[in-house]
Amino acid sequence: QGNFQARPAGVPAPPPGGACLVLQGSRPAMDTSDDETFSTVTAVLSNFFLAMLIAGMAGTTDIYGFRQKLKNYRGIGTGIACQFFLLPFLGFCSVKAFGLRRLFGIMLLIVTTSPGGGFSGWWCSIGNADIALSIAMTTVSTILSIVMLPLNIFIYVQAIYGISVPLNWGGIMTSVGVVIGAVIIGLAIGTKYPQFKKVFNHMGTVGGVANITLAIIVASRPSDGESTPVLGYPPTTYIAIMAPCIAGLVISFGIAKALRCSWPESVSICIECCYQNTALAISVAVSAFGPRDAAIATLVPLFYGGGGVVVIAIFV
């Protein structure tokens, strides 16, 4: 388990065969101003690109369609139930079934309990799904994540590892504010200037691609003189990370169809369920772990997001 930081004085030794996680409040003195500057810059850029993505996708619809979808209680309710109950449970099952190492297991639980990602709206536009419903679900799930994210993390991390994970509430609330503000701005501009919907779509695509690129940079950044071994883990690690995404996509689509949602609504629901806000998960990783562990932890949302792109591309 050479990928973790050395255990600082005062931190209990891990159990035999276990890994030592350095959580916030127990970080060694190796944190530098460069690490803090890098974390600050990436957090600002991540939220900026997230705003571009959400505003761009929201700009492809209008306030009237969005308002109507908020009244679609069956679609919204099904999506939220799959988002915060089905997918976290699938993440829990995957961690238990594949015996993921503690750092990866905690991060997968964080990813699967995060709200829907803004890039889901772009995939809905590619797959001729219900974009307005996707944006409505992203907005609602982001607001509900204030309660559901820490609740699910507490339940599942405690159930498996018996530890608590500190959350960066400032980062979470910032992401929530960014999403809500971007939705409002995008809907307002899309309603006022419907002739520019293609421009908004392109802007959202640029924001999404930029956010993915930023995640790759964060995950591959050398720490303590070593590079993160991107492809140096057992195949079961990658299978375990992707299993909740694949299972969530299939099961949520089946649930939506069983509840007689239309085909576009069902596609939006299953995409929204499995494509998470990995930027928020990365923010939690940076706040919860020391610099080196954070660099490794960000591999999980990176693998999940990248694999999700392939799975959804095949599906749509």
Side-chain angles (χ1 to χ4, degrees):
Q1 304 283 350
N3 293 322
F4 295 102
Q5 294 174 323
R7 177 169 54 89
V11 176
C20 176
L21 291 182
V22 181
L23 297 180
Q24 192 178 34
S26 300
R27 294 182 181 177
M30 65 177 64
D31 285 6
T32 65
S33 58
D34 288 342
D35 291 320
E36 295 176 358
T37 301
F38 181 79
S39 297
T40 301
V41 171
T42 53
V44 172
L45 288 177
S46 178
N47 281 304
F48 175 74
F49 295 143
L50 178 64
M52 281 183 62
L53 172 59
I54 297 293
M57 293 300 102
T60 61
T61 182
D62 56 60
I63 188 65
Y64 307 108
F66 178 79
R67 186 183 302 168
Q68 182 179 4
K69 292 304 175 182
L70 283 178
K71 298 178 181 179
N72 183 354
Y73 303 120
R74 180 170 55 185
I76 294 286
T78 303
I80 295 302
C82 291
Q83 181 86 59
F84 289 120
F85 295 100
L86 173 64
L87 197 64
F89 177 72
L90 292 175
F92 169 81
C93 292
S94 184
V95 172
K96 292 288 288 184
F98 290 94
L100 278 180
R101 53 192 289 186
R102 183 181 291 185
L103 182 59
F104 280 176
I106 291 175
M107 277 310 301
L108 182 60
L109 294 172
I110 291 174
V111 169
T112 54
T113 195
S114 295
F119 216 38
S120 58
W122 183 80
W123 281 114
C124 287
S125 68
I126 296 295
N128 294 318
D130 195 325
I131 300 177
L133 178 61
S134 174
I135 295 172
M137 284 189 291
T138 296
T139 305
V140 174
S141 68
T142 301
I143 295 173
L144 290 179
S145 69
I146 298 174
V147 174
M148 296 305 298
L149 177 64
L151 178 61
N152 276 326
I153 290 177
F154 174 79
I155 291 173
Y156 290 112
V157 173
Q158 282 284 345
I160 297 179
Y161 301 111
I163 62 175
S164 60
V165 177
L167 297 179
N168 179 2
W169 283 104
I172 293 174
M173 295 305 296
T174 298
S175 293
V176 171
V178 166
V179 170
I180 295 175
V183 167
I184 294 174
I185 293 173
L187 288 174
I189 297 177
T191 303
K192 183 70 174 180
Y193 305 103
Q195 66 272 26
F196 294 119
K197 287 187 176 182
K198 287 186 177 180
V199 175
F200 301 143
N201 186 276
H202 293 325
M203 183 183 77
T205 300
V206 170
V209 172
N211 224 337
I212 293 175
T213 303
L214 182 64
I216 294 174
I217 294 173
V218 171
S220 60
R221 179 174 182 255
S223 183
D224 297 341
E226 300 181 14
S227 297
T228 302
V230 178
L231 299 177
Y233 299 99
T236 52
T237 298
Y238 307 105
I239 295 174
I241 292 173
M242 287 311 305
C245 179
I246 298 173
L249 188 74
V250 175
I251 296 175
S252 59
F253 182 80
I255 292 175
K257 290 303 294 180
L259 293 176
R260 298 183 180 180
C261 294
S262 67
W263 181 275
E265 289 175 341
S266 299
V267 174
S268 293
I269 289 170
C270 69
I271 291 177
E272 192 69 27
C273 169
C274 73
Y275 202 87
Q276 304 300 82
N277 186 343
T278 52
L280 182 56
I282 290 173
S283 173
V284 174
V286 171
S287 67
F289 305 108
R292 188 179 176 203
D293 283 353
I296 299 172
T298 54
L299 289 174
V300 175
L302 179 62
F303 291 148
Y304 187 97
V309 168
V310 176
V311 171
I312 295 175
I314 295 173
F315 179 80
V316 299

